[in-house]
Short mmCIF file of all heavy atoms in Angstrom, two decimals:
data_model
loop_
_atom_site.label_atom_id
_atom_site.label_comp_id
_atom_site.label_asym_id
_atom_site.label_seq_id
_atom_site.Cartn_x
_atom_site.Cartn_y
_atom_site.Cartn_z
N LEU A 17 -82.76 49.01 22.08
CA LEU A 17 -83.99 48.22 22.14
C LEU A 17 -84.98 48.85 23.09
O LEU A 17 -86.17 48.89 22.84
CB LEU A 17 -83.64 46.78 22.59
CG LEU A 17 -83.20 45.85 21.47
CD1 LEU A 17 -82.53 44.65 22.05
CD2 LEU A 17 -84.39 45.45 20.63
N ASP A 21 -88.74 50.31 22.48
CA ASP A 21 -89.86 49.86 23.32
C ASP A 21 -90.81 50.98 23.62
O ASP A 21 -92.02 50.85 23.48
CB ASP A 21 -89.32 49.34 24.65
CG ASP A 21 -88.80 47.92 24.54
OD1 ASP A 21 -88.99 47.34 23.45
OD2 ASP A 21 -88.19 47.44 25.48
N GLU A 26 -96.04 53.36 23.15
CA GLU A 26 -96.87 54.55 22.95
C GLU A 26 -97.73 54.36 21.71
O GLU A 26 -98.92 54.74 21.73
CB GLU A 26 -95.95 55.76 22.82
CG GLU A 26 -96.65 57.09 23.12
CD GLU A 26 -97.24 57.16 24.50
OE1 GLU A 26 -96.55 56.86 25.48
OE2 GLU A 26 -98.41 57.55 24.59
N GLN A 36 -111.01 53.06 20.17
CA GLN A 36 -112.18 53.31 21.06
C GLN A 36 -112.87 54.61 20.68
O GLN A 36 -114.03 54.82 21.05
CB GLN A 36 -111.73 53.38 22.51
CG GLN A 36 -111.25 52.07 23.06
CD GLN A 36 -110.76 52.22 24.49
OE1 GLN A 36 -111.57 52.34 25.40
NE2 GLN A 36 -109.46 52.19 24.69
N ASP A 44 -105.94 63.24 26.96
CA ASP A 44 -105.14 62.99 28.17
C ASP A 44 -103.74 62.46 27.81
O ASP A 44 -102.81 62.67 28.55
CB ASP A 44 -105.90 61.97 29.03
CG ASP A 44 -105.34 61.90 30.41
OD1 ASP A 44 -105.14 62.98 31.00
OD2 ASP A 44 -105.06 60.80 30.88
N ASN A 45 -103.64 61.82 26.66
CA ASN A 45 -102.38 61.19 26.31
C ASN A 45 -101.46 62.03 25.41
O ASN A 45 -100.34 61.65 25.14
CB ASN A 45 -102.68 59.84 25.61
CG ASN A 45 -101.45 58.98 25.51
OD1 ASN A 45 -100.73 58.76 26.49
ND2 ASN A 45 -101.16 58.48 24.32
N ARG A 47 -99.78 64.71 25.90
CA ARG A 47 -98.51 65.11 26.53
C ARG A 47 -97.52 63.97 26.49
O ARG A 47 -96.36 64.16 26.10
CB ARG A 47 -98.79 65.53 27.99
CG ARG A 47 -97.65 66.22 28.67
CD ARG A 47 -97.97 66.38 30.15
NE ARG A 47 -98.14 65.09 30.81
CZ ARG A 47 -97.15 64.36 31.30
NH1 ARG A 47 -95.91 64.79 31.19
NH2 ARG A 47 -97.36 63.19 31.88
N ASN A 48 -97.97 62.77 26.85
CA ASN A 48 -97.06 61.60 26.87
C ASN A 48 -96.57 61.29 25.45
O ASN A 48 -95.39 61.02 25.26
CB ASN A 48 -97.80 60.38 27.41
CG ASN A 48 -98.28 60.60 28.84
OD1 ASN A 48 -99.21 61.38 29.04
ND2 ASN A 48 -97.69 59.95 29.78
N GLY B 41 -93.23 58.89 32.91
CA GLY B 41 -94.04 59.80 32.11
C GLY B 41 -95.19 60.41 32.88
O GLY B 41 -95.89 61.26 32.33
N SER B 43 -97.04 62.90 35.12
CA SER B 43 -96.76 64.29 35.53
C SER B 43 -97.10 64.47 37.00
O SER B 43 -97.79 63.66 37.61
CB SER B 43 -97.57 65.28 34.70
OG SER B 43 -98.95 65.12 34.97
N TYR B 166 -106.17 53.96 34.05
CA TYR B 166 -106.33 53.21 32.79
C TYR B 166 -105.09 53.40 31.91
O TYR B 166 -104.53 52.42 31.43
CB TYR B 166 -107.58 53.69 32.07
CG TYR B 166 -107.81 53.02 30.73
CD1 TYR B 166 -108.42 51.77 30.66
CD2 TYR B 166 -107.42 53.62 29.55
CE1 TYR B 166 -108.61 51.15 29.44
CE2 TYR B 166 -107.59 52.99 28.32
CZ TYR B 166 -108.21 51.77 28.28
OH TYR B 166 -108.40 51.13 27.07
N LYS B 167 -104.70 54.68 31.77
CA LYS B 167 -103.58 54.99 30.89
C LYS B 167 -102.29 54.27 31.32
O LYS B 167 -101.67 53.55 30.51
CB LYS B 167 -103.36 56.50 30.87
CG LYS B 167 -102.23 56.95 29.95
CD LYS B 167 -102.24 58.43 29.69
CE LYS B 167 -101.76 59.24 30.87
NZ LYS B 167 -101.62 60.67 30.56
N TYR B 168 -101.92 54.45 32.57
CA TYR B 168 -100.66 53.88 33.00
C TYR B 168 -100.76 52.36 33.25
O TYR B 168 -99.78 51.66 33.10
CB TYR B 168 -100.11 54.61 34.25
CG TYR B 168 -99.69 56.01 33.88
CD1 TYR B 168 -100.44 57.11 34.20
CD2 TYR B 168 -98.54 56.23 33.11
CE1 TYR B 168 -100.09 58.38 33.83
CE2 TYR B 168 -98.17 57.50 32.71
CZ TYR B 168 -98.94 58.57 33.08
OH TYR B 168 -98.58 59.85 32.70
N LYS B 171 -100.36 50.89 29.77
CA LYS B 171 -98.96 51.07 29.34
C LYS B 171 -98.04 50.08 30.08
O LYS B 171 -97.09 49.59 29.52
CB LYS B 171 -98.50 52.51 29.55
CG LYS B 171 -99.06 53.40 28.45
CD LYS B 171 -98.52 54.80 28.54
CE LYS B 171 -99.14 55.66 27.47
NZ LYS B 171 -98.79 57.06 27.55
N TYR B 178 -94.12 43.93 25.56
CA TYR B 178 -93.24 44.24 24.44
C TYR B 178 -91.81 44.58 24.85
O TYR B 178 -90.95 44.81 23.97
CB TYR B 178 -93.78 45.40 23.65
CG TYR B 178 -95.02 45.06 22.88
CD1 TYR B 178 -96.28 45.44 23.34
CD2 TYR B 178 -94.96 44.32 21.70
CE1 TYR B 178 -97.44 45.10 22.67
CE2 TYR B 178 -96.10 43.99 21.01
CZ TYR B 178 -97.35 44.39 21.50
OH TYR B 178 -98.47 44.05 20.81
N SER B 179 -91.53 44.70 26.14
CA SER B 179 -90.20 45.14 26.53
C SER B 179 -89.16 44.08 26.23
O SER B 179 -89.48 42.91 26.06
CB SER B 179 -90.16 45.51 28.00
OG SER B 179 -90.40 44.38 28.75
N TYR B 180 -87.90 44.51 26.20
CA TYR B 180 -86.80 43.60 25.86
C TYR B 180 -86.66 42.57 26.94
O TYR B 180 -86.44 42.86 28.12
CB TYR B 180 -85.51 44.39 25.72
CG TYR B 180 -84.33 43.51 25.46
CD1 TYR B 180 -84.17 42.82 24.27
CD2 TYR B 180 -83.35 43.33 26.44
CE1 TYR B 180 -83.12 42.00 24.04
CE2 TYR B 180 -82.25 42.50 26.22
CZ TYR B 180 -82.15 41.84 25.03
OH TYR B 180 -81.11 41.00 24.80
#
Side-chain angles (χ1 to χ4, degrees):
Chain A
L17 276 164
D21 280 351
E26 202 57 50
Q36 292 178 74
D44 194 48
N45 193 48
R47 191 188 62 85
N48 300 70
Chain B
S43 67
Y166 178 82
K167 181 166 75 173
Y168 292 104
K171 282 185 183 176
Y178 291 102
S179 64
Y180 176 69

